[in-house]
Coordinates of all heavy atoms in Angstrom, one line a residue:
M26 N 0.8 -1.2 0.0 CA 0.0 0.0 0.0 C 0.9 1.2 0.0 O 1.8 1.4 0.8 CB -0.9 0.0 1.2 CG -1.9 1.1 1.3 SD -2.9 0.7 2.8 CE -4.2 1.8 2.4
T27 N 0.7 2.2 -0.9 CA 1.5 3.4 -1.0 C 0.7 4.6 -0.5 O -0.5 4.6 -0.6 CB 2.0 3.7 -2.4 OG1 0.8 3.8 -3.2 CG2 2.8 2.5 -2.9
H28 N 1.4 5.6 0.1 CA 0.8 6.8 0.6 C 0.8 7.8 -0.5 O 1.8 8.0 -1.2 CB 1.6 7.3 1.8 CG 1.1 8.6 2.3 ND1 -0.1 8.8 2.9 CD2 1.6 9.9 2.2 CE1 -0.3 10.0 3.2 NE2 0.7 10.7 2.8
N29 N -0.4 8.4 -0.8 CA -0.5 9.4 -1.8 C -0.9 10.7 -1.2 O -2.0 10.8 -0.5 CB -1.5 8.9 -2.9 CG -1.6 9.9 -4.0 OD1 -1.2 11.0 -4.0 ND2 -2.3 9.4 -5.1
D30 N -0.1 11.8 -1.3 CA -0.5 13.1 -0.7 C -1.8 13.6 -1.2 O -2.5 14.3 -0.4 CB 0.6 14.2 -1.0 CG 1.8 14.0 -0.2 OD1 1.8 13.2 0.8 OD2 2.9 14.5 -0.5
S31 N -2.2 13.3 -2.4 CA -3.5 13.8 -2.9 C -4.7 13.2 -2.1 O -5.8 13.8 -2.1 CB -3.7 13.6 -4.4 OG -3.8 12.2 -4.6
D32 N -4.4 12.1 -1.4 CA -5.5 11.6 -0.5 C -5.8 12.5 0.6 O -6.9 12.4 1.3 CB -5.1 10.2 0.0 CG -5.0 9.2 -1.1 OD1 -5.6 9.4 -2.2 OD2 -4.3 8.2 -0.8
L33 N -4.9 13.4 1.0 CA -5.0 14.3 2.2 C -5.6 15.6 1.8 O -5.8 16.5 2.7 CB -3.7 14.4 2.9 CG -3.0 13.1 3.3 CD1 -1.6 13.4 3.9 CD2 -3.9 12.4 4.4
V34 N -5.8 15.9 0.5 CA -6.2 17.2 0.1 C -7.7 17.3 -0.1 O -8.3 16.5 -0.8 CB -5.5 17.6 -1.3 CG1 -6.0 19.0 -1.7 CG2 -4.0 17.6 -1.1
L35 N -8.3 18.2 0.7 CA -9.8 18.4 0.6 C -10.0 19.8 0.4 O -9.1 20.7 0.6 CB -10.4 17.9 1.9 CG -10.2 16.4 2.3 CD1 -10.7 16.2 3.7 CD2 -10.8 15.5 1.3
D36 N -11.3 20.3 0.2 CA -11.5 21.7 0.1 C -11.7 22.2 1.5 O -11.8 21.5 2.5 CB -12.7 22.0 -0.8 CG -14.0 21.6 -0.3 OD1 -14.2 21.4 0.9 OD2 -14.9 21.4 -1.2
G37 N -11.8 23.6 1.7 CA -11.9 24.2 3.0 C -13.1 23.8 3.8 O -13.1 24.0 5.0
N38 N -14.2 23.4 3.1 CA -15.4 23.0 3.9 C -15.1 21.8 4.9 O -15.7 21.7 5.9 CB -16.5 22.5 2.9 CG -17.0 23.7 2.1 OD1 -17.4 24.7 2.7 ND2 -17.0 23.6 0.8
A39 N -14.1 21.0 4.6 CA -13.7 19.9 5.4 C -13.1 20.4 6.8 O -13.1 19.7 7.7 CB -12.8 19.0 4.7
A40 N -12.7 21.7 6.8 CA -12.1 22.2 8.1 C -13.2 23.0 8.8 O -12.8 23.7 9.8 CB -10.9 23.1 7.7
A41 N -14.4 23.0 8.4 CA -15.4 23.8 9.0 C -15.6 23.6 10.5 O -15.7 24.6 11.3 CB -16.8 23.6 8.3
G42 N -15.6 22.4 11.0 CA -15.7 22.1 12.4 C -14.6 22.7 13.2 O -14.8 23.4 14.2
L43 N -13.4 22.5 12.8 CA -12.2 23.0 13.5 C -12.2 24.6 13.5 O -12.0 25.2 14.6 CB -10.9 22.5 12.9 CG -9.6 23.2 13.5 CD1 -9.5 22.9 15.0 CD2 -8.4 22.6 12.7
L44 N -12.5 25.2 12.4 CA -12.5 26.6 12.3 C -13.6 27.3 13.1 O -13.4 28.3 13.7 CB -12.6 27.1 10.8 CG -11.4 26.7 10.0 CD1 -11.7 27.1 8.5 CD2 -10.1 27.4 10.5
Q45 N -14.8 26.6 13.2 CA -15.9 27.1 14.0 C -15.5 27.1 15.5 O -15.9 27.9 16.2 CB -17.2 26.4 13.7 CG -17.8 26.8 12.4 CD -19.0 26.0 12.0 OE1 -19.3 24.9 12.5 NE2 -19.9 26.6 11.2
E46 N -14.8 26.1 15.9 CA -14.3 26.0 17.3 C -13.4 27.1 17.6 O -13.5 27.7 18.7 CB -13.5 24.7 17.5 CG -14.4 23.4 17.5 CD -13.5 22.2 17.6 OE1 -12.4 22.3 18.1 OE2 -14.0 21.1 17.2
I47 N -12.5 27.5 16.7 CA -11.5 28.6 16.9 C -12.2 30.0 16.9 O -11.9 30.8 17.8 CB -10.4 28.5 15.9 CG1 -9.6 27.2 16.1 CG2 -9.5 29.7 15.9 CD1 -8.6 26.9 15.0
F48 N -13.0 30.2 15.9 CA -13.5 31.6 15.7 C -14.6 32.0 16.6 O -15.1 33.1 16.5 CB -13.8 31.9 14.2 CG -12.5 32.0 13.5 CD1 -12.0 31.0 12.7 CD2 -11.8 33.2 13.5 CE1 -10.9 31.1 12.0 CE2 -10.6 33.3 12.8 CZ -10.1 32.3 12.1
V49 N -15.1 31.2 17.5 CA -16.1 31.6 18.5 C -15.4 31.8 19.9 O -16.1 32.3 20.8 CB -17.2 30.6 18.7 CG1 -18.0 30.4 17.4 CG2 -16.8 29.3 19.2
L50 N -14.2 31.6 20.0 CA -13.5 31.7 21.3 C -13.2 33.2 21.6 O -13.2 34.1 20.7 CB -12.2 31.0 21.3 CG -12.3 29.4 21.1 CD1 -11.0 28.8 20.9 CD2 -13.1 28.8 22.2
E51 N -13.0 33.5 22.9 CA -12.7 34.9 23.3 C -11.3 35.3 22.7 O -10.3 34.8 23.1 CB -12.7 34.9 24.8 CG -12.2 36.2 25.4 CD -13.0 37.4 24.9 OE1 -14.3 37.3 24.9 OE2 -12.4 38.4 24.6
I52 N -11.4 36.3 21.8 CA -10.1 36.7 21.1 C -9.2 37.5 22.0 O -8.0 37.4 21.8 CB -10.5 37.5 19.8 CG1 -9.3 37.8 19.0 CG2 -11.2 38.8 20.1 CD1 -8.6 36.5 18.4
T53 N -9.7 38.3 23.0 CA -8.8 39.1 23.7 C -7.9 38.4 24.7 O -6.8 38.9 25.0 CB -9.6 40.2 24.6 OG1 -10.5 39.4 25.5 CG2 -10.4 41.1 23.7
T54 N -8.2 37.1 25.0 CA -7.3 36.3 25.9 C -6.4 35.4 25.0 O -5.5 34.8 25.6 CB -8.1 35.5 26.9 OG1 -9.0 34.6 26.1 CG2 -8.9 36.4 27.8
A55 N -6.6 35.4 23.7 CA -5.8 34.6 22.9 C -4.3 35.2 22.9 O -4.2 36.4 23.0 CB -6.3 34.6 21.4
Q56 N -3.3 34.3 22.8 CA -1.9 34.7 22.8 C -1.5 34.9 21.3 O -1.6 33.9 20.5 CB -1.1 33.7 23.5 CG -1.4 33.5 25.0 CD -1.0 34.7 25.8 OE1 0.1 35.2 25.8 NE2 -2.0 35.3 26.5
I57 N -1.0 36.0 21.0 CA -0.5 36.3 19.7 C 1.0 36.5 19.7 O 1.5 37.2 20.6 CB -1.2 37.5 19.1 CG1 -1.0 37.7 17.6 CG2 -0.9 38.8 19.8 CD1 -1.9 38.6 16.9
Q58 N 1.7 36.0 18.7 CA 3.2 36.1 18.7 C 3.5 37.1 17.5 O 3.0 36.9 16.4 CB 3.8 34.8 18.5 CG 5.4 34.9 18.5 CD 6.1 33.6 18.5 OE1 5.5 32.6 17.9 NE2 7.3 33.5 19.0
C59 N 4.3 38.1 17.9 CA 4.8 39.1 16.9 C 5.8 38.5 16.0 O 6.8 37.9 16.4 CB 5.3 40.3 17.7 SG 6.0 41.6 16.6
E60 N 5.7 38.6 14.7 CA 6.6 38.2 13.7 C 7.9 39.0 13.8 O 9.0 38.4 13.6 CB 6.1 38.3 12.3 CG 7.0 37.8 11.2 CD 7.2 36.3 11.2 OE1 6.3 35.6 11.6 OE2 8.3 35.9 10.8
A61 N 7.8 40.3 14.1 CA 9.0 41.1 14.1 C 9.9 40.9 15.3 O 11.1 40.8 15.1 CB 8.6 42.6 14.1
C62 N 9.4 40.8 16.5 CA 10.3 40.7 17.7 C 10.1 39.4 18.4 O 10.9 39.1 19.3 CB 10.0 41.9 18.6 SG 8.5 41.7 19.6
G63 N 9.2 38.6 18.0 CA 9.0 37.2 18.6 C 8.3 37.2 20.0 O 8.1 36.1 20.5
S64 N 7.9 38.4 20.5 CA 7.2 38.4 21.8 C 5.8 37.8 21.7 O 5.2 37.9 20.6 CB 7.2 39.8 22.4 OG 6.3 40.6 21.6
T65 N 5.3 37.2 22.7 CA 4.0 36.7 22.8 C 3.2 37.4 23.8 O 3.7 37.6 25.0 CB 4.0 35.2 23.1 OG1 4.8 34.5 22.1 CG2 2.6 34.6 23.2
Q66 N 2.0 37.8 23.5 CA 1.2 38.6 24.4 C -0.3 38.4 24.2 O -0.6 37.9 23.1 CB 1.5 40.1 24.3 CG 1.3 40.6 22.9 CD 2.3 41.8 22.6 OE1 2.2 42.8 23.2 NE2 3.2 41.6 21.6
A67 N -1.1 38.7 25.1 CA -2.6 38.6 24.9 C -3.0 39.6 23.9 O -2.5 40.8 23.9 CB -3.3 38.8 26.2
V68 N -4.0 39.3 23.0 CA -4.5 40.2 22.1 C -5.0 41.5 22.8 O -4.8 42.6 22.3 CB -5.6 39.5 21.2 CG1 -6.3 40.6 20.3 CG2 -5.0 38.5 20.3
G69 N -5.6 41.3 23.9 CA -6.1 42.4 24.7 C -5.1 43.4 25.2 O -5.4 44.5 25.6
S70 N -3.8 43.0 25.2 CA -2.8 43.9 25.7 C -2.1 44.6 24.5 O -1.2 45.5 24.8 CB -1.7 43.1 26.5 OG -1.0 42.3 25.6
L71 N -2.5 44.4 23.3 CA -1.9 45.1 22.1 C -2.4 46.5 22.2 O -3.4 46.9 22.8 CB -2.3 44.4 20.8 CG -1.9 43.0 20.6 CD1 -2.5 42.4 19.3 CD2 -0.4 42.8 20.6
R72 N -1.6 47.4 21.5 CA -2.0 48.8 21.4 C -3.0 49.0 20.2 O -2.7 48.5 19.1 CB -0.8 49.7 21.1 CG 0.0 49.9 22.4 CD 0.9 51.1 22.2 NE 2.2 50.7 22.9 CZ 3.4 50.8 22.4 NH1 3.6 51.2 21.1 NH2 4.4 50.5 23.1
L73 N -4.1 49.6 20.5 CA -5.2 49.8 19.5 C -5.1 51.2 18.9 O -5.1 52.2 19.6 CB -6.6 49.6 20.1 CG -7.7 50.0 19.2 CD1 -7.8 49.1 17.9 CD2 -9.0 49.9 19.9
Y74 N -5.1 51.3 17.6 CA -5.2 52.5 16.8 C -6.5 52.4 16.1 O -6.7 51.6 15.1 CB -4.1 52.7 15.9 CG -2.7 52.9 16.6 CD1 -2.0 51.8 17.0 CD2 -2.2 54.2 16.8 CE1 -0.8 52.0 17.7 CE2 -1.0 54.3 17.5 CZ -0.3 53.2 17.9 OH 0.8 53.4 18.6
A75 N -7.6 53.1 16.6 CA -8.9 52.9 16.1 C -9.4 53.9 15.2 O -9.0 55.1 15.3 CB -9.9 52.8 17.3
A76 N -10.2 53.6 14.3 CA -10.9 54.5 13.4 C -12.4 54.0 13.4 O -12.6 52.9 13.8 CB -10.3 54.4 12.0
P77 N -13.3 54.8 12.9 CA -14.7 54.4 12.9 C -15.0 53.0 12.3 O -15.8 52.3 12.9 CB -15.4 55.5 12.1 CG -14.5 56.7 12.3 CD -13.1 56.2 12.3
M78 N -14.4 52.7 11.3 CA -14.7 51.4 10.6 C -13.5 50.4 10.7 O -13.6 49.3 10.1 CB -15.1 51.6 9.2 CG -16.3 52.3 9.0 SD -16.7 52.7 7.3 CE -16.5 51.2 6.4
A79 N -12.5 50.7 11.4 CA -11.3 49.9 11.4 C -10.5 49.9 12.7 O -10.7 50.8 13.5 CB -10.4 50.3 10.2
A80 N -9.6 48.9 12.8 CA -8.8 48.9 14.0 C -7.4 48.3 13.5 O -7.3 47.4 12.7 CB -9.4 47.9 15.0
V81 N -6.4 48.9 14.1 CA -5.0 48.4 13.9 C -4.5 48.1 15.2 O -4.4 49.0 16.1 CB -4.1 49.4 13.1 CG1 -2.7 48.9 13.0 CG2 -4.7 49.7 11.7
L82 N -4.1 46.9 15.5 CA -3.5 46.5 16.7 C -2.0 46.3 16.6 O -1.6 45.5 15.7 CB -4.2 45.2 17.2 CG -5.6 45.3 17.6 CD1 -6.3 43.9 17.6 CD2 -5.8 46.0 18.9
R83 N -1.2 46.9 17.4 CA 0.2 46.9 17.3 C 0.8 46.3 18.5 O 0.3 46.3 19.6 CB 0.8 48.3 17.2 CG 0.4 49.0 15.9 CD 1.0 50.4 15.7 NE 0.9 50.9 14.4 CZ 1.7 50.6 13.4 NH1 2.7 49.9 13.5 NH2 1.4 51.1 12.2
C84 N 2.0 45.6 18.3 CA 2.8 45.0 19.4 C 3.1 46.0 20.4 O 3.6 47.1 20.1 CB 4.0 44.4 18.8 SG 5.1 43.6 19.9
S85 N 2.9 45.6 21.7 CA 3.2 46.6 22.8 C 4.7 46.6 23.1 O 5.2 47.4 23.8 CB 2.4 46.2 24.0 OG 2.8 44.9 24.5
H86 N 5.5 45.7 22.5 CA 7.0 45.6 22.7 C 7.7 46.4 21.6 O 8.6 47.2 21.9 CB 7.5 44.2 22.7 CG 6.9 43.4 23.9 ND1 7.3 43.5 25.2 CD2 5.8 42.6 23.9 CE1 6.6 42.8 26.0 NE2 5.7 42.2 25.2
C87 N 7.3 46.2 20.3 CA 8.1 46.8 19.2 C 7.3 47.7 18.3 O 7.8 48.2 17.3 CB 8.8 45.7 18.4 SG 7.7 44.8 17.3
D88 N 6.0 47.8 18.5 CA 5.1 48.6 17.8 C 4.8 48.1 16.4 O 4.2 48.8 15.5 CB 5.6 50.1 17.7 CG 4.4 51.1 17.6 OD1 3.3 50.8 18.2 OD2 4.6 52.1 16.8
A89 N 5.2 46.9 16.0 CA 4.8 46.3 14.7 C 3.3 46.1 14.6 O 2.7 45.8 15.6 CB 5.6 45.0 14.5
S90 N 2.8 46.3 13.4 CA 1.4 46.1 13.2 C 1.1 44.6 13.1 O 1.7 43.9 12.3 CB 1.0 46.8 11.9 OG -0.3 46.5 11.5
L91 N 0.2 44.1 14.0 CA 0.0 42.6 14.0 C -1.4 42.3 13.4 O -1.6 41.2 12.8 CB 0.0 42.1 15.5 CG 1.3 42.3 16.2 CD1 1.2 41.6 17.6 CD2 2.5 41.8 15.4
V92 N -2.4 43.1 13.7 CA -3.8 42.8 13.2 C -4.4 44.1 12.7 O -4.3 45.2 13.3 CB -4.7 42.3 14.4 CG1 -6.1 42.1 13.9 CG2 -4.1 41.1 15.1
R93 N -4.9 44.0 11.5 CA -5.7 45.1 10.9 C -7.1 44.5 10.6 O -7.2 43.5 9.9 CB -5.0 45.6 9.6 CG -3.8 46.4 9.9 CD -2.7 46.3 8.9 NE -2.3 44.9 8.6 CZ -1.4 44.3 9.3 NH1 -0.9 44.8 10.4 NH2 -1.0 43.0 9.0
A94 N -8.1 45.2 11.1 CA -9.5 44.7 10.9 C -10.3 45.9 10.4 O -10.1 47.0 10.9 CB -10.1 44.1 12.2
V95 N -11.2 45.6 9.5 CA -12.1 46.7 9.0 C -13.5 46.1 8.7 O -13.6 44.9 8.3 CB -11.4 47.3 7.7 CG1 -11.4 46.3 6.6 CG2 -12.2 48.5 7.2
R96 N -14.4 47.0 8.9 CA -15.8 46.6 8.6 C -16.2 47.5 7.4 O -16.1 48.7 7.4 CB -16.7 47.0 9.8 CG -18.2 46.6 9.6 CD -19.0 47.0 10.8 NE -18.5 46.5 12.1 CZ -18.0 47.3 13.1 NH1 -18.0 48.6 12.9 NH2 -17.6 46.7 14.2
T97 N -16.6 46.8 6.3 CA -17.1 47.5 5.1 C -18.5 47.1 4.7 O -19.0 46.1 5.3 CB -16.1 47.2 3.9 OG1 -16.4 45.9 3.4 CG2 -14.7 47.3 4.3
P98 N -19.1 47.8 3.8 CA -20.4 47.3 3.3 C -20.4 45.9 2.7 O -21.4 45.2 2.6 CB -20.8 48.4 2.3 CG -20.1 49.6 2.7 CD -18.8 49.1 3.2
H99 N -19.2 45.5 2.3 CA -19.1 44.2 1.6 C -18.6 43.1 2.6 O -18.4 41.9 2.1 CB -18.1 44.3 0.5 CG -18.5 45.4 -0.5 ND1 -19.6 45.3 -1.3 CD2 -17.9 46.6 -0.7 CE1 -19.7 46.4 -2.0 NE2 -18.7 47.3 -1.6
G100 N -18.4 43.4 3.8 CA -18.0 42.3 4.8 C -17.0 42.8 5.8 O -16.6 44.0 5.8
R101 N -16.6 41.9 6.7 CA -15.6 42.2 7.7 C -14.3 41.5 7.2 O -14.3 40.4 6.8 CB -16.0 41.7 9.0 CG -17.2 42.4 9.6 CD -17.6 41.8 10.9 NE -18.7 42.6 11.4 CZ -20.0 42.3 11.2 NH1 -20.3 41.2 10.5 NH2 -21.0 43.0 11.8
W102 N -13.2 42.3 7.3 CA -11.9 41.8 6.8 C -10.9 41.8 7.9 O -10.9 42.8 8.7 CB -11.4 42.6 5.7 CG -12.3 42.7 4.5 CD1 -13.4 43.5 4.4 CD2 -12.3 41.9 3.3 NE1 -14.1 43.3 3.2 CE2 -13.4 42.3 2.5 CE3 -11.5 40.9 2.9 CZ2 -13.7 41.7 1.3 CZ3 -11.7 40.3 1.6 CH2 -12.8 40.7 0.9
I103 N -10.1 40.8 8.0 CA -9.0 40.8 9.0 C -7.7 40.4 8.3 O -7.7 39.5 7.4 CB -9.3 39.9 10.2 CG1 -8.3 40.1 11.3 CG2 -9.4 38.5 9.8 CD1 -8.7 39.5 12.6
E104 N -6.6 41.1 8.6 CA -5.3 40.8 7.9 C -4.3 40.7 9.1 O -4.3 41.6 10.0 CB -5.0 41.9 7.0 CG -3.9 41.6 6.0 CD -2.6 42.1 6.5 OE1 -2.5 43.2 6.9 OE2 -1.6 41.3 6.5
M105 N -3.5 39.7 9.1 CA -2.6 39.4 10.3 C -1.2 39.1 9.8 O -0.5 38.3 10.3 CB -3.2 38.3 11.1 CG -4.5 38.5 11.7 SD -5.2 37.2 12.6 CE -4.0 36.9 13.8
T106 N -0.7 39.9 8.8 CA 0.6 39.6 8.2 C 1.7 39.7 9.3 O 2.6 38.9 9.2 CB 0.9 40.6 7.1 OG1 -0.1 40.4 6.1 CG2 2.2 40.3 6.4
G107 N 1.6 40.6 10.2 CA 2.7 40.8 11.2 C 2.7 39.8 12.4 O 3.5 39.8 13.2
A108 N 1.7 38.9 12.4 CA 1.6 37.9 13.5 C 2.1 36.6 13.0 O 1.9 36.1 11.9 CB 0.2 37.8 13.9
R109 N 2.9 36.0 13.9 CA 3.5 34.6 13.5 C 2.5 33.6 13.8 O 2.3 32.6 13.0 CB 4.8 34.4 14.4 CG 5.5 33.1 14.0 CD 6.8 33.0 14.7 NE 7.7 34.1 14.4 CZ 8.7 34.4 15.1 NH1 9.0 33.8 16.2 NH2 9.5 35.4 14.7
R110 N 1.8 33.7 15.0 CA 0.7 32.7 15.3 C -0.2 33.2 16.3 O 0.1 34.2 17.0 CB 1.4 31.4 15.8 CG 2.1 31.4 17.0 CD 2.7 30.1 17.4 NE 3.6 29.6 16.4 CZ 4.9 29.5 16.6 NH1 5.4 29.7 17.8 NH2 5.7 29.1 15.7
L111 N -1.3 32.6 16.4 CA -2.4 33.0 17.4 C -2.8 31.7 18.1 O -3.1 30.7 17.5 CB -3.6 33.6 16.6 CG -4.7 34.2 17.4 CD1 -4.3 35.4 18.2 CD2 -5.8 34.6 16.4
R112 N -2.7 31.7 19.5 CA -3.1 30.5 20.2 C -4.2 30.8 21.2 O -4.2 31.8 21.9 CB -1.9 30.0 21.1 CG -2.2 28.8 21.9 CD -0.9 28.2 22.6 NE -0.4 29.2 23.5 CZ -0.7 29.3 24.8 NH1 -1.7 28.5 25.3 NH2 -0.1 30.2 25.6
F113 N -5.3 30.0 21.1 CA -6.4 30.2 22.0 C -6.3 29.2 23.1 O -5.8 28.1 23.0 CB -7.7 29.9 21.2 CG -8.0 30.9 20.1 CD1 -7.5 30.7 18.9 CD2 -8.8 32.0 20.4 CE1 -7.8 31.6 17.9 CE2 -9.0 32.9 19.4 CZ -8.6 32.7 18.1
Ligands
ZN9 ZN1 6.8 42.9 18.4

């Protein structure tokens, strides 16, 4: 019997259960790691730069941008390029 990597490839719907478990959790207590300086801190301890429809959360150690979130008429968007990982 041979192992074939294509046997492990499914579409994103197959991850629905896991993703729903993650995205209903309390985000402010989640631990986020900064890609720039490597520090890990609670999302709630990041510095917030707020605008009426958007938020930019910056690392409290090096001021790198970790999370950018915006609410538009077309949906809610989140971009986390500056974060290495998020742990709930
Ligand atoms: Zn940092």
Side-chain angles (χ1 to χ4, degrees):
M26 184 175 195
T27 61
H28 174 73
N29 185 344
D30 285 342
S31 66
D32 293 340
L33 303 175
V34 178
L35 303 170
D36 70 25
N38 290 309
L43 173 61
L44 294 175
Q45 285 179 335
E46 288 174 23
I47 292 170
F48 285 103
V49 298
L50 298 174
E51 173 55 47
I52 187 66
T53 58
T54 59
Q56 297 290 305
I57 190 167
Q58 186 174 27
C59 177
E60 180 69 33
C62 74
S64 69
T65 299
Q66 58 211 296
V68 170
S70 71
L71 299 175
R72 285 195 215 130
L73 170 64
Y74 295 81
M78 293 174 49
V81 176
L82 293 162
R83 293 186 170 272
C84 177
S85 61
H86 297 280
C87 75
D88 208 37
S90 175
L91 301 185
V92 178
R93 288 149 302 280
V95 64
R96 183 183 306 112
T97 75
H99 307 290
R101 294 177 178 91
W102 301 82
I103 188 165
E104 196 265 314
M105 300 178 58
T106 302
R109 186 174 298 163
R110 65 180 62 113
L111 187 63
R112 180 173 61 86
F113 292 90

